[in-house]
Amino acid sequence: MNASALGVNQLTLAGRLTKPPRISKSPAGIPHLHLTIEHSSIQTEAGLNRQCYARIQVVASGEWTQAWSKILTVESAIKVTGFIQRHEDHNGLGKLVLHAQKIEQV
């Protein structure tokens, strides 16, 4: 079975903003909100506690993002739900980006 037949690609992550939100527009005029969130927690794995840390880029697209750009600041606590996608930078280095479909303050 190929990966596209699986169809499930959803991630929910809570964390704090580490950089100020940034807005850009696509050539088609679609607004994009760019965020960086950092997550830290203790998770249980194989019956043992494990310190978990993650920092991920978040992109939210569409008119609904405009309000969030005015509300969020560095250290804002949020929960983001969306899908992950591989992006390449200008040097060809790949990274996973969380494409937000829902943002909540926590």
Side-chain angles (χ1 to χ4, degrees):
M1 179 183 300
N2 70 31
S4 64
L6 298 176
V8 177
N9 177 353
Q10 186 166 15
L11 175 68
T12 298
L13 188 67
R16 295 195 177 275
L17 264 61
T18 61
K19 297 179 181 178
R22 183 175 59 85
I23 288 280
S24 68
K25 285 207 175 196
S26 73
I30 298 170
H32 300 292
L33 175 65
H34 302 267
L35 308 170
T36 301
I37 63 171
E38 188 174 84
H39 168 88
S40 181
S41 65
I42 305 279
Q43 300 294 318
T44 303
E45 181 177 38
L48 300 171
N49 286 340
R50 179 179 187 155
Q51 179 69 39
C52 290
Y53 173 81
R55 180 180 283 181
I56 192 166
Q57 301 295 310
V58 177
V59 175
S61 300
E63 294 299 327
W64 68 276
T65 64
Q66 298 292 319
W68 284 108
S69 70
K70 294 171 179 61
I71 296 168
L72 298 176
T73 60
V74 173
E75 291 297 319
S76 289
I78 61 172
K79 181 167 75 170
V80 179
T81 300
F83 60 92
I84 54 174
Q85 170 71 30
R86 183 178 186 274
H87 285 219
E88 270 188 24
D89 67 14
H90 60 280
N91 295 321
L93 296 173
K95 65 179 175 181
L96 289 179
V97 174
L98 175 54
H99 285 257
Q101 296 169 310
K102 182 179 180 184
I103 299 173
E104 301 172 66
Q105 284 189 298
V106 293

